[in-house]
Amino acid sequence: MVDIETEMTGTLLTGLILFLLEVVCNGEPTHAGPGTMEHPYEQDKLVHQTSQWVLELFNDSLPFSRAESFCRGQFSSLITLQQSEDKEETVEFLRQTGLRSAVWVRDHKRAASKPVALSRQYLEFSALNFPKESHEGFAHVKLAFPGLSSVSVCVRVQWDTDWKDISTVFSYAAPVLTNEFQLRGRVDMHGRIHLALIIHGKHFPYKASFANDGAWHHICVTWSRISNYWAIYVDGDRKDMGYGTDMDRDIHGDGILILGQDQDSFGGNFTEPFFGNITDLNVWNISLETRHVRALNLCSATVQEKFFSWNLTLINSHQVVKEVQAPLFCPAVHQQMELQGCRTLQGWSDQLPPLGWTDCSDFLPFICRSSRARHHRMEQISKSQTSQPSAFMNQLMKLSNKSQPMLVQQSLELDSLAQASALLNISVQALEDTQQEGLQPADMVTLIQLLTLTADVSSEPSVCNENSTRDNIQELSQHFISVADSIISENNANKWQAIKEVVNGPMDVVKSIDHMVTRLSQSLTAETDHVTIHSPNIKLELQQQRLDEGSKVVSFCGPGSETHSILDCISVPHQKIQDLQNNGFYKITLVNTWYGSLRPLFNPEENITMEPTVTDGSQRYLGTVLGSSVISTTVLGDDQPVSMAVHFQLQHKVQNYIDAVYDPVCAFWDFDLTPETGGWWNTKGCEVVSKHYGYTVCYCNHTTNFALLLQVYETQRSLENEKALKVLTFIGCGVSLCGLLFTFILFIAVGVPKSDRTTVHKNLIVALGLAELLLMCSDWAAENQAACFMVTALLHLFFMASFCWMLVEGLLLWSKVVSVNISEDRRMKLYYVIGWGLPVLIVGLTLVISGDKYKDHNHCWLSVKTDTIWAFVGPVIFVLTVNAVVLCRVVMVTVSSAHRRAKMLSPSFASKMQTFDLTWAVTRPVLILLPVLGLTWICGVLVHLSVVVSYIFIVLNSFQGLYIFLVYAVYNSEVRNAIKRIKEKRKALSFTNCSQPTSFLPSQRAPIISPWSRSPPTSSSPETSETSGPFNSTSTSLVIKNESFKKESFVNFSLRQASGNQVVQLTGFKPSGTKL
């Protein structure tokens, strides 16, 4: 197999662009500046290497914007002098070359233009409306004009789309010549407005044109007698220019300036009216430069003093002309153009400052900068180009020779769309002819260069080939997409690694497509409102509509397939489009693109760095991968990019592994995140709306290129285990809820003596029981957002309360172990504040701070993707820590007591019992207090280690209510004794009800024997009474209750007189285990 480097067949510099076609109408020529070298590419001294960079001086002079485009085509950038060392090295380089001319440099402080918010892009202007219902409307500018050797007039106009005849924007008539200076326009058969100037009575041709689309357009005309030069600018671009008039003189003074009418006589006989709106008319007595006109188009102020500034108080209008308010699109508010020009650097003179400013449209040499590694790789590709051309390059050269016999060697720069179209045409043919052989990595570099250069060519064609280019613009776009499709085909997935030092990646192709389509959108939609371009891996669609016709823009979807019924779609919310109209926009254009094959082109070994979204420990995070197609949209309001929110849904496109799961994240490609590497994925402003099987719906607050990033997790549990754990959790919660309910009922029903301990138990049971009940119902509430939010807040509150009362349990236990000088009443008040007040405070603060980030999108629980989850995890960790300390202290005390008891025993018995007592002293409190204090939740941090730990965690915590039932009810001596008392009391009452009661007189007192005496049983004991015969009718029963002991049991006493007197039966309580 031939080595990959020898198969790389060159760049556009030595391959494709070395064979630029000579078109019929040449574009703008290049100009050589001072010190031009005859063959600059062969001069070694034009290349300078530093420790980090390689600087290349190109002596072919270009305007600033095209110099930037040139460097991008070289996979480098126009030099930026951000560091002082960079400036010193560059100046020394210029001195070595002997170039006596300034060169372009990029100002690092100038930010790239970006869409911004609508409310910050508009300025209100007072405008004059010239209605079509009357041909008499005009406006007279009340200004005395002197003789003018130079003049510039700029105005913003909105043409009436229904008027097709000649219209006069303004006319200046002098007493000696009525047609002294005038701007007029007419509409052609294609619906375009063509402008013409009249200077000194000479009528120049109608050539400068723009679309009659009803939108606002900025028009400037300039003239200078000294240079004998005139120009017409539309929307900041020069559309027509010329030299010479019939008379070499100044414009006459003392004239009249009229808006909206042609003056056939001095100040009267109006004809050829204008219909529409006019505003922002300004007049200068100088000839403005191109940079000034461009700045004015963007609403930037100029440093030149105006001869007349727009002011309606200085204008007399006809009664039919009305004043209206016009919100005009002004991107310069946040996309400032440097009015002083673009940055330059000179190095031939020490007397002049190194850095300066020059008009951006001037032609100057420039320096491109690239990294040493990239430059070295480009040299390798260039050298291998000449030794072994690929099949594609050979076919390209062959087609070039056939299609155009005369080839010229030019610089790496395209002058017109016609040249770009010709190159794209033969490239598509060569790709079709060599489809079986495929592209080599060097061919991909060549084609990416061609796309970059084509995208940078101005969308406004030159005058000489305007019509032909407009007719072929659709074909050029189709060829552009076809070439791009061939580059990002999945067949080339393994070739991107070979050119990674030169090309940033497949998103470079996406950037070129975005750039090209945005620039050509006006031409593509000039005659239709809907354009679609298809290729196997790319779908491009443009939708345009006038906003006053109502919203007709529909969502854009990628192509369907037989295997997937869900499509990749993107749409702009209708309300956002309505906001455009409310902010004064006239039309909207949506540029949508779908890329179906980008995912395999990203190196799977290059993990996308991102914080995992699943943080519950149930799954191990492996990494993040691109898991969908890429879909993009650009919103153009009145042909200017605007910031807009979008909704989109994308299918999951990733191989499903049995032992892995994926969590989708909505993201976009941010070209500015790491500019030196072409950008990276970013999630700012994007969020998941809903997740479904096989696709995800997202929302982003801006427009760009979107995709789904799938976070890959290694599953710790199979689907069977997941289902089993869910069932076990539901059963456990149900059992716990029943246990808690029974425990609470027992506490109330059996009359357990009231104490601080039982009060704490009851509150813990209530909080935990409500939490368990809400947890069981949370899945049903997930369908309703409002109900789910409420359930989330209540779950947070009651689980928080449960842990707070577990903390109180620990504090109460500590008070039993360590002496605390605090009364029971004050202690209970503190416990209530901790148990209920603290949870309410935590939940309330969390709701206020987190807002819409409080709840998870897919579950009725706190969001784990934000810091909200710490409003639960933090307090829980604190409670578990405190209770762990309490448990350790209890164990220590219990062990110490057991040790002392063992020493009190006889030495022979102590050795046998010591081990057992110590073991039981440790085990008993741990088994009893672990679930009560909530310490079983510590297992939650270990669930990711094994599925066995997950089962243990579920069993210990979902059955926590059952444990509490066993500890607080079944094995609680207070409850058991209360139940036993009830049983014996009922037994005693049933026994006395069977006897015949007699009156018991206080004077007939009998001596009472203490029921707790240890004397042998007598005839008055229960044992003897049971053997006695039944009481007679004169017997008396007396029940005596002694509640002075905590542990007691019922005992009956019968007092009988020897001679048949009254019998008194006493019922008392005795300590358990005490013999009577």
Side-chain angles (χ1 to χ4, degrees):
M1 182 175 178
V2 183
D3 186 72
I4 266 195
E5 287 188 10
T6 61
E7 290 182 357
M8 291 188 175
T9 57
T11 65
L12 213 51
L13 175 61
T14 56
L16 178 60
I17 299 298
L18 291 179
F19 301 97
L20 287 174
L21 296 176
E22 201 173 49
V23 295
V24 177
C25 179
N26 291 327
E28 187 178 7
T30 58
H31 296 259
T36 300
M37 301 173 187
E38 189 173 352
H39 299 290
Y41 296 105
E42 299 174 3
Q43 305 278 341
D44 291 338
K45 64 180 179 180
L46 294 181
V47 178
H48 177 69
Q49 294 192 15
T50 67
S51 58
Q52 186 179 2
W53 308 102
V54 174
L55 309 181
E56 294 181 280
L57 172 63
F58 293 92
N59 205 42
D60 282 352
S61 300
L62 295 173
F64 180 84
S65 60
R66 293 172 65 185
E68 281 193 310
S69 170
F70 181 97
C71 293
R72 281 194 296 268
Q74 290 284 302
F75 298 108
S76 58
S77 61
L78 196 64
I79 188 169
T80 303
L81 305 180
Q82 190 167 359
Q83 304 294 333
S84 58
E85 313 85 75
D86 297 337
K87 185 174 71 173
E88 294 172 1
E89 291 177 345
T90 307
V91 169
E92 181 61 27
F93 174 42
L94 291 176
R95 288 175 179 172
Q96 292 176 5
T97 63
L99 181 67
R100 297 186 61 81
S101 169
V103 297
W104 292 123
V105 294
R106 189 162 58 92
D107 185 7
H108 68 277
K109 297 180 180 178
R110 178 183 296 180
S113 297
K114 294 182 180 179
V116 293
L118 303 182
S119 59
R120 297 162 58 190
Q121 291 181 333
Y122 268 80
L123 293 179
E124 286 283 341
F125 284 82
S126 295
L128 295 179
N129 173 253
F130 296 82
K132 189 173 56 177
E133 290 74 21
S134 174
H135 287 219
E136 299 178 357
F138 72 91
H140 174 213
V141 178
K142 299 183 294 183
L143 184 67
F145 287 87
L148 299 173
S149 61
S150 298
V151 66
S152 297
V153 181
C154 293
V155 63
R156 298 181 188 273
V157 299
Q158 188 179 36
W159 228 275
D160 191 311
T161 56
D162 296 330
W163 183 249
K164 307 300 182 184
D165 293 339
I166 293 177
S167 302
T168 304
V169 179
F170 67 82
S171 62
Y172 176 78
V176 297
L177 182 63
T178 55
N179 291 328
E180 184 69 354
F181 193 67
Q182 184 180 135
L183 176 65
R184 50 204 288 123
R186 69 179 184 185
V187 182
D188 65 9
M189 60 183 300
H190 300 291
R192 293 184 65 83
I193 300 172
H194 294 257
L195 301 176
L197 264 179
I198 298 178
I199 306 175
H200 298 333
K202 181 177 180 179
H203 197 308
F204 291 94
Y206 289 96
K207 295 172 68 174
S209 70
F210 58 94
N212 185 18
D213 52 10
W216 283 97
H217 293 277
H218 185 255
I219 301 173
C220 280
V221 295
T222 64
W223 172 80
S224 173
R225 180 184 63 81
I226 298 174
S227 62
N228 204 18
Y229 168 85
W230 61 266
I232 301 178
Y233 297 86
V234 178
D235 296 329
D237 294 325
R238 188 176 59 196
K239 296 299 185 117
D240 195 10
M241 56 175 287
Y243 295 90
T245 59
D246 292 341
M247 290 171 282
D248 184 16
R249 62 170 176 81
D250 293 349
I251 292 178
H252 288 301
D254 300 324
I256 297 176
L257 180 60
I258 297 295
L259 304 182
Q261 294 282 0
D262 178 20
Q263 305 175 58
D264 279 352
S265 63
F266 184 63
N269 293 331
F270 296 143
T271 59
E272 297 173 344
F274 168 84
F275 298 121
N277 297 317
I278 293 178
T279 188
D280 198 24
L281 175 77
N282 298 279
V283 183
W284 293 261
N285 57 1
I286 61 172
S287 178
L288 295 177
E289 300 176 12
T290 301
R291 62 191 174 104
H292 299 139
V293 175
R294 289 176 178 171
L296 289 168
N297 175 56
L298 300 176
C299 303
S300 287
T302 62
V303 295
Q304 284 69 27
E305 185 176 353
K306 299 175 183 177
F307 181 71
F308 171 78
S309 182
W310 180 251
N311 187 348
L312 291 183
T313 61
L314 300 178
I315 298 176
N316 287 334
S317 302
H318 190 274
Q319 60 182 3
V320 300
V321 178
K322 304 298 182 182
E323 179 182 348
V324 295
Q325 293 299 313
L328 298 185
F329 189 75
C330 290
V333 176
H334 291 277
Q335 300 177 16
Q336 291 290 341
M337 172 182 289
E338 296 286 353
L339 298 181
Q340 60 267 52
C342 296
R343 275 286 189 187
T344 60
L345 177 72
Q346 66 85 23
W348 78 87
S349 175
D350 293 333
Q351 281 71 37
L352 298 175
L355 293 174
W357 297 96
T358 303
D359 193 319
C360 299
S361 60
D362 288 351
F363 285 78
L364 291 178
F366 54 94
I367 297 176
C368 295
R369 184 179 71 176
S370 61
S371 65
R372 292 174 64 94
R374 177 169 291 181
H375 181 76
H376 177 68
R377 187 57 175 158
M378 287 290 290
E379 283 186 335
Q380 288 181 330
I381 295 175
S382 179
K383 290 178 181 178
S384 64
Q385 158 81 25
T386 56
S387 61
Q388 192 175 6
S390 66
F392 167 76
M393 187 58 67
N394 283 327
Q395 184 65 17
L396 185 67
M397 296 166 63
K398 180 180 177 181
L399 290 172
S400 299
N401 287 323
K402 285 183 177 181
S403 61
Q404 190 71 289
M406 185 175 181
L407 300 173
V408 291
Q409 184 171 342
Q410 301 180 6
S411 65
L412 185 54
E413 188 262 327
L414 296 178
D415 289 324
S416 67
L417 289 177
Q419 285 183 339
S421 180
L423 287 171
L424 289 171
N425 186 24
I426 62 172
S427 298
V428 171
Q429 294 181 44
L431 287 169
E432 293 176 353
D433 296 339
T434 59
Q435 188 172 5
Q436 292 185 347
E437 292 84 354
L439 290 174
Q440 297 302 317
D443 300 333
M444 296 167 60
V445 174
T446 299
L447 293 175
I448 292 173
Q449 283 182 303
L450 175 59
L451 296 182
T452 302
L453 293 169
T454 303
D456 283 328
V457 173
S458 173
S459 62
E460 291 294 340
S462 58
V463 175
C464 61
N465 61 0
E466 183 181 52
N467 293 331
S468 61
T469 304
R470 186 174 64 249
D471 294 339
N472 296 327
I473 202 72
Q474 177 85 23
E475 182 182 5
L476 179 146
S477 302
Q478 181 67 63
H479 289 162
F480 192 101
I481 297 300
S482 297
V483 172
D485 187 276
S486 301
I487 299 173
I488 65 173
S489 171
E490 291 189 22
N491 298 330
N492 300 324
N494 59 348
K495 300 172 185 176
W496 287 91
Q497 194 69 14
I499 57 176
K500 66 178 182 179
E501 296 92 346
V502 176
V503 182
N504 291 321
M507 294 306 292
D508 278 359
V509 179
V510 173
K511 186 176 183 179
S512 296
I513 294 175
D514 291 344
H515 198 186
M516 183 275 299
V517 179
T518 301
R519 289 199 170 199
L520 296 182
S521 61
Q522 285 182 270
S523 301
L524 288 169
T525 57
E527 300 178 0
T528 179
D529 291 336
H530 192 275
V531 176
T532 303
I533 300 176
H534 279 283
S535 69
N537 300 307
I538 302 174
K539 180 181 178 182
L540 172 67
E541 183 178 87
L542 285 87
Q543 301 179 54
Q544 179 178 277
Q545 76 162 90
R546 292 179 56 172
L547 294 176
D548 56 2
E549 297 176 353
S551 177
K552 297 183 296 184
V553 177
V554 296
S555 61
F556 164 75
C557 295
S561 63
E562 297 179 357
T563 57
H564 296 91
S565 58
I566 303 298
L567 300 179
D568 298 326
C569 297
I570 191 168
S571 62
V572 177
H574 176 76
Q575 183 58 45
K576 299 297 181 181
I577 298 177
Q578 186 63 40
D579 291 342
L580 287 176
Q581 185 176 8
N582 297 339
N583 281 282
F585 279 85
Y586 169 74
K587 68 175 180 179
I588 182 175
T589 304
L590 295 183
V591 181
N592 302 304
T593 319
W594 172 87
Y595 306 92
S597 60
L598 289 181
R599 185 186 60 81
L601 307 185
F602 285 85
N603 185 8
E605 298 179 359
E606 294 182 2
N607 182 41
I608 301 173
T609 305
M610 185 172 294
E611 291 294 327
T613 57
V614 178
T615 57
D616 59 0
S618 62
Q619 299 163 349
R620 188 164 66 90
Y621 175 65
L622 300 179
T624 304
V625 298
L626 177 62
S628 71
S629 302
V630 175
I631 196 166
S632 71
T633 188
T634 300
V635 180
L636 303 176
D638 295 345
D639 300 318
Q640 297 290 335
V642 293
S643 180
M644 190 69 64
V646 295
H647 284 98
F648 62 91
Q649 68 175 32
L650 292 171
Q651 304 174 55
H652 302 166
K653 291 186 177 180
V654 68
Q655 184 176 357
N656 290 317
Y657 298 97
I658 298 177
D659 57 345
V661 294
Y662 304 93
D663 187 49
V665 178
C666 303
F668 67 96
W669 186 266
D670 189 350
F671 289 101
D672 297 326
L673 194 58
T674 53
E676 64 279 359
T677 59
W680 199 242
W681 295 109
N682 197 347
T683 60
K684 186 177 181 180
C686 294
E687 61 182 21
V688 174
V689 176
S690 60
K691 299 176 184 178
H692 306 271
Y693 181 77
Y695 72 98
T696 298
V697 179
C698 300
Y699 170 85
C700 289
N701 60 10
H702 55 273
T703 53
T704 183
N705 301 283
F706 303 102
L708 289 180
L709 303 181
L710 298 183
Q711 294 193 335
V712 186
Y713 297 89
E714 182 182 17
T715 55
Q716 303 296 314
R717 305 183 286 262
S718 64
L719 293 177
E720 292 77 11
N721 283 326
E722 286 286 347
K723 185 175 181 180
L725 289 172
K726 287 183 178 180
V727 172
L728 184 61
T729 300
F730 191 84
I731 294 174
C733 288
V735 173
S736 291
L737 190 60
C738 293
L740 293 170
L741 183 62
F742 290 155
T743 304
F744 189 78
I745 293 175
L746 282 175
F747 272 35
I748 300 300
V750 302
V752 176
K754 185 178 180 181
S755 65
D756 55 353
R757 192 153 59 99
T758 57
T759 302
V760 172
H761 293 344
K762 291 177 183 178
N763 281 277
L764 174 60
I765 291 170
V766 170
L768 190 59
L770 291 175
E772 300 273 6
L773 179 63
L774 287 169
L775 183 63
M776 295 175 66
C777 302
S778 60
D779 286 342
W780 297 320
E783 300 298 328
N784 186 292
Q785 289 296 323
C788 189
F789 188 90
M790 183 176 295
V791 168
T792 301
L794 292 176
L795 272 175
H796 188 196
L797 174 64
F798 288 116
F799 266 118
M800 201 73 265
S802 300
F803 277 97
C804 287
W805 281 109
M806 292 177 195
L807 175 63
V808 172
E809 291 275 7
L811 296 177
L812 182 63
L813 189 60
W814 181 269
S815 69
K816 303 297 183 182
V817 175
V818 180
S819 177
V820 179
N821 296 323
I822 182 172
S823 65
E824 182 174 337
D825 291 339
R826 291 177 59 191
R827 189 166 55 201
M828 281 310 303
K829 291 179 181 179
L830 175 63
Y831 290 165
Y832 276 113
V833 171
I834 296 175
W836 293 113
L838 188 59
V840 171
L841 179 63
I842 293 174
V843 174
L845 288 176
T846 307
L847 285 170
V848 172
I849 295 173
S850 60
D852 57 350
K853 297 180 181 179
Y854 180 74
K855 188 185 77 68
D856 189 87
H857 289 289
N858 304 308
H859 307 286
C860 297
W861 184 234
L862 303 180
S863 174
V864 297
K865 298 181 180 179
T866 62
D867 294 334
T868 306
I869 189 63
W870 286 100
F872 176 75
V873 175
V876 167
I877 293 176
F878 174 77
V879 170
L880 297 182
T881 303
V882 173
N883 283 353
V885 174
V886 171
L887 180 62
C888 292
R889 177 62 176 162
V890 170
V891 170
M892 290 172 60
V893 171
T894 308
V895 170
S896 177
S897 299
H899 188 67
R900 286 195 301 270
R901 286 197 304 270
K903 284 185 177 182
M904 294 173 61
L905 299 175
S906 60
S908 59
F909 187 70
S911 58
K912 299 178 182 179
M913 295 296 297
Q914 186 174 9
T915 303
F916 174 80
D917 283 351
L918 291 177
T919 303
W920 179 243
V922 174
T923 306
R924 186 173 182 272
V926 169
L927 292 177
I928 294 175
L929 297 178
L930 269 179
V932 174
L933 299 180
L935 296 179
T936 52
W937 283 73
I938 297 176
C939 298
V941 300
L942 305 175
V943 293
H944 65 282
L945 298 179
S946 170
V947 67
V948 176
V949 180
S950 300
Y951 277 102
I952 294 174
F953 175 74
I954 295 298
V955 169
L956 290 178
N957 293 285
S958 63
F959 288 92
Q960 187 177 7
L962 179 61
Y963 300 150
I964 291 177
F965 172 71
L966 295 176
V967 173
Y968 286 174
V970 177
Y971 296 105
N972 187 347
S973 60
E974 289 181 348
V975 176
R976 296 172 65 183
N977 288 337
I979 295 174
K980 187 174 182 181
R981 286 198 304 270
I982 293 175
K983 288 181 179 179
E984 294 185 359
K985 183 176 181 180
R986 288 178 179 176
K987 182 177 179 182
L989 291 176
S990 63
F991 181 80
T992 57
N993 289 335
C994 296
S995 64
Q996 296 179 359
T998 60
S999 60
F1000 181 70
L1001 299 177
S1003 59
Q1004 298 175 332
R1005 295 178 180 174
I1008 300 176
I1009 303 175
S1010 172
W1012 295 279
S1013 65
R1014 295 184 177 271
S1015 59
T1018 63
S1019 60
S1020 62
S1021 66
E1023 287 82 353
T1024 57
S1025 64
E1026 289 175 1
T1027 58
S1028 303
F1031 298 135
N1032 58 28
S1033 59
T1034 62
S1035 65
T1036 302
S1037 295
L1038 176 65
V1039 178
I1040 300 176
K1041 183 176 181 180
N1042 188 342
E1043 294 182 334
S1044 61
F1045 291 85
K1046 293 295 182 180
K1047 295 182 179 181
E1048 63 275 333
S1049 50
F1050 286 99
V1051 60
N1052 300 327
F1053 300 91
S1054 298
L1055 302 180
R1056 184 187 303 272
Q1057 292 184 355
S1059 59
N1061 293 329
Q1062 296 172 330
V1063 177
V1064 178
Q1065 179 170 325
L1066 302 178
T1067 300
F1069 297 103
K1070 71 177 183 65
S1072 299
T1074 303
K1075 296 182 179 180
L1076 299 175

